[in-house]
Amino acid sequence: CDISIKFNQGYRERYQQLRRIEQEHARAKAALEVKTRFLATVSHELRTPLTSIIGSLELINGNRLGAVPDNLKPAITIAARNARRLADLVEDLLDMQKIEAGEMVFDLHPISVNTLAIEAAESIAGYASNFGIVVETDLCAQDALIAGDRKRLIQVMNNMLSNAIKFSEKGGTVTVQVETFGQRTRVSVHDHGQGIPDGARENVFGRFTQVDSSDIRKVGGTGLGLNISKLIVEQHGGLIDYTSELGVGSTFFVEFDRQIGDADTDDGGPYLS
Ligand code: ADP
């Protein structure tokens, strides 16, 4: 009889413990859903006014509303730069939510890797020149095709390139290199910047993480770019990684399987013709 009372007590305690864990889990899940919804709403609500602020500042900066007095120019430039930073953060947050919800749709087409490298290098050249950095390309004689979403892959390239530029010394060179070996093709971004210490991989690819937490203040950034890039590249069946030496520089690269077919020139045709 004693044994049966003890057994029943033990059973009841275990049951209550499980109920508590279940309730805590449900509370945490509900809190996470509220946070996700809140973040999504705020990001969406910020997007439109920010676009209009950036557009207006560009109009003013381009003297299209009349000549801007010299004493106002620095303040307008700072406002425009910070509005763009905020807009980047909002886009990163929206991308993150899309990926988490499985709602990021990839529009796959055959893409020439050499063309991807050229487009990425050309589109970042203006930004690089603000830092006194030259972007070069080192293309592969044997071009390769990959199955990819052009806009998303340019976003990944842009992320690797803007980091390479941000973390380089003024006057440096950043190189986009394309290599093809067997069934694989690789696009690398080499810089001669500050490099990354050993053991920082989690911070590099983590969410809202940076290797040096003072970077947010010094060079900007959200600590989201490479996390999003990794998810995009993995959704393409590829990989993203880096090698680095402190004080010497870093190489970030993406690698994909090669495809057979013709590249889409207008980005609107069917996947693999
Ligand atoms: P952020 O928007 O802060 O640049 P990323 O996710 O793109 O975020 O990068 C995360 C961190 O990885 C950066 O803050 C930096 O500490 C490090 N990192 C990335 N690329 C480089 C690079 N080329 N050289 C040195 N550090 C880098």
Side-chain angles (χ1 to χ4, degrees):
C1 181
D2 248 13
I3 292 172
S4 117
I5 289 169
K6 273 193 188 141
F7 175 80
N8 279 338
Q9 270 175 352
Y11 181 77
R12 206 173 304 119
E13 273 167 26
R14 182 91 188 106
Y15 173 76
Q16 283 167 348
Q17 204 181 7
L18 282 175
R19 283 283 300 154
R20 272 198 301 279
I21 293 173
E22 215 172 63
Q23 283 163 354
E24 271 166 33
H25 179 74
R27 262 198 300 275
K29 200 170 159 223
L32 192 69
E33 273 165 17
V34 169
K35 190 208 81 181
T36 308
R37 252 200 326 274
F38 169 76
L39 212 60
T41 310
V42 171
S43 314
H44 272 291
E45 292 303 317
L46 284 174
R47 199 189 215 175
T48 314
L50 267 173
T51 308
S52 128
I53 292 170
I54 292 170
S56 304
L57 288 169
E58 277 170 2
L59 279 179
I60 298 171
N61 243 349
N63 292 324
R64 274 176 282 166
L65 301 178
V68 180
D70 281 348
N71 61 333
L72 291 187
K73 281 182 184 163
I76 294 168
T77 307
I78 290 170
R81 189 168 57 233
N82 284 295
R84 241 173 271 121
R85 259 192 192 188
L86 262 182
D88 287 348
L89 172 61
V90 167
E91 290 308 317
D92 279 354
L93 288 173
L94 287 169
D95 279 352
M96 203 182 76
Q97 286 151 29
K98 259 193 225 154
I99 292 171
E100 267 184 358
E103 286 168 1
M104 189 176 271
V105 180
F106 293 96
D107 187 17
L108 298 183
H109 292 273
I111 296 173
S112 138
V113 184
N114 275 345
T115 309
L116 183 74
I118 295 168
E119 273 182 25
E122 280 176 354
S123 66
I124 202 102
Y127 174 79
S129 72
N130 293 335
F131 290 78
I133 307 258
V134 175
V135 180
E136 292 178 347
T137 50
D138 178 4
L139 304 179
C140 187
Q142 188 199 4
D143 194 8
L145 291 180
I146 54 172
D149 182 317
R150 181 183 298 273
K151 194 175 133 224
R152 292 297 175 188
L153 291 179
I154 288 281
Q155 176 180 351
V156 171
M157 291 302 303
N158 190 58
N159 181 227
M160 295 195 295
L161 278 163
S162 59
N163 281 336
I165 293 162
K166 273 193 320 196
F167 296 103
S168 287
E169 291 294 322
K170 197 173 175 192
T173 302
V174 165
T175 310
V176 188
Q177 185 188 23
V178 179
E179 292 163 289
T180 296
F181 34 90
Q183 284 312 300
R184 302 283 279 177
T185 183
R186 176 188 285 196
V187 190
S188 311
V189 174
H190 304 278
D191 69 59
H192 306 282
Q194 64 188 51
I196 299 170
D198 287 345
R201 201 162 290 268
E202 273 187 31
N203 286 351
V204 169
F205 289 111
R207 195 168 277 182
F208 296 114
T209 53
Q210 297 183 310
V211 174
D212 178 348
S213 55
S214 65
D215 278 346
I216 289 211
R217 196 170 25 79
K218 285 192 298 202
V219 290
T222 59
L224 275 177
L226 284 170
N227 184 274
I228 292 171
S229 293
K230 189 167 168 18
L231 293 166
I232 292 175
V233 170
E234 285 172 356
Q235 292 285 325
H236 279 79
L239 70 86
I240 181 167
D241 208 345
Y242 71 91
T243 55
S244 188
E245 200 177 331
L246 215 50
V248 177
S250 310
T251 296
F252 277 78
F253 59 89
V254 288
E255 235 180 74
F256 301 96
D257 278 339
R258 294 175 61 189
Q259 303 288 315
I260 301 154
D262 300 322
D264 272 2
T265 44
D266 62 359
D267 196 28
Y271 169 62
L272 288 189
S273 48

